[in-house]
Amino acid sequence: MKGRNTYHFRESIIILLKTKWIGPYLILPPMLAFMVYAEAYLSAHGITGIFTMEQRTVLAIWNGSLLLTLIAGIKSCLFFSGIWESSWFRNSLALPVSKSSGFWGPFLAVLSVVSVIFILTTGAVLAALPEPGRFSVFQIIAESYIPVVWAVSMGAFLGLLTTGTAGSIFFTALLLIGFLAGLPIARLPEWLFVIIPPVGRIMTLGLVFPQGLIQTAILIIHSIAVLMLGRLLYSIGSKRR
């Protein structure tokens, strides 16, 4: 992307790097590193239940992913709602820049920042573990990254559909439903798991083939669907301005 196609991306990055947006993300890596180290120490000394390295690794990575998904979803709703309603953004549409970049620029900016935080968080978790697990860590990392992408996509959609506060509340409720529905105690019809974001199911079935792959694919479809709906709402709204 060059020139007029990167204007909104660059401006969004500048806004995102301010303390009020980036601050909540930066506490995740050290907090999770401490949690993982404490859990490993307590388990090794028999104070808590004995977990295998595989179980500790999966749990630690998913703890980080779910916390980041929650923060990313809430902050995305607030950010997108605020930026697209701002006078700066409305004025930018009169500049000789691509109108479509007004949607994709902020989205890619948020996704880039959140992806960097995800890498830092996952790296902190793996560094806190005493030894690598004997299974596909890459698979778990890839699967736990999809909910983060879904959170940013949902934030972009809700940021256009409603206010930042209302979007944040709706997103939090949807994430909670998606998490609880995937727990073994949940007894729901299978067709509901196509509608409900399968965040919990990816967590519990991630290493099971092909169920884990199917649930991951469903959440990817959810992400694409809400992102395209958001792009449609943005296109309709920008034509009215």
Side-chain angles (χ1 to χ4, degrees):
M1 296 188 299
K2 292 184 179 180
R4 67 193 187 99
N5 292 326
T6 62
Y7 173 76
H8 290 101
F9 176 82
R10 288 182 281 108
E11 292 298 317
S12 297
I13 286 289
I14 292 172
I15 296 172
L16 285 167
L17 292 180
K18 293 181 178 178
T19 305
K20 75 169 187 175
W21 293 110
I22 201 70
Y25 293 115
L26 296 180
I27 65 173
L28 276 175
M31 182 175 68
L32 281 168
F34 173 76
M35 289 172 58
V36 172
Y37 177 81
E39 181 184 76
Y41 178 86
L42 294 175
S43 178
H45 288 75
I47 300 175
T48 62
I50 301 298
F51 296 99
T52 65
M53 180 56 59
E54 176 179 329
Q55 290 172 328
R56 291 212 305 269
T57 303
V58 172
L59 181 60
I61 292 175
W62 270 106
N63 281 343
S65 173
L66 288 173
L67 280 174
L68 182 56
T69 297
L70 176 62
I71 295 175
I74 293 173
K75 297 296 287 185
S76 294
C77 289
L78 296 171
F79 175 78
F80 288 123
S81 177
I83 195 171
W84 282 325
E85 289 298 323
S86 67
S87 57
W88 161 77
F89 184 79
R90 289 195 293 269
N91 293 333
S92 74
L93 295 179
L95 298 174
V97 296
S98 172
K99 279 195 174 183
S100 64
S101 75
F103 178 83
W104 295 114
F107 170 76
L108 292 175
V110 174
L111 185 60
S112 298
V113 170
V114 172
S115 296
V116 170
I117 300 301
F118 176 82
I119 293 171
L120 293 175
T121 301
T122 304
V125 168
L126 294 178
L129 292 169
E131 62 184 65
R134 298 178 181 178
F135 67 104
S136 179
V137 176
F138 176 78
Q139 179 184 345
I140 293 299
I141 292 175
E143 289 175 347
S144 62
Y145 177 65
I146 301 303
V148 177
V149 177
W150 168 76
V152 178
S153 301
M154 184 61 72
F157 170 65
L158 293 174
L160 284 162
L161 186 64
T162 184
T163 64
T165 302
S168 299
I169 294 172
F170 180 85
F171 172 82
T172 303
L174 187 62
L175 176 62
L176 183 60
I177 292 171
F179 173 73
L180 294 178
L183 297 181
I185 58 173
R187 295 290 184 268
L188 298 174
E190 281 297 319
W191 62 268
L192 265 181
F193 291 105
V194 178
I195 301 174
I196 299 173
V199 178
R201 273 204 153 187
I202 296 178
M203 182 178 179
T204 56
L205 299 174
L207 291 176
V208 181
F209 183 84
Q211 291 91 330
L213 183 61
I214 292 172
Q215 300 306 316
T216 302
I218 291 174
L219 193 58
I220 291 174
I221 293 172
H222 276 241
S223 303
I224 295 173
V226 296
L227 193 58
M228 291 301 102
L229 284 173
R231 178 64 180 87
L232 178 61
L233 289 176
Y234 170 82
S235 179
I236 294 173
S238 62
K239 289 178 180 178
R240 295 176 178 175
R241 293 177 178 179

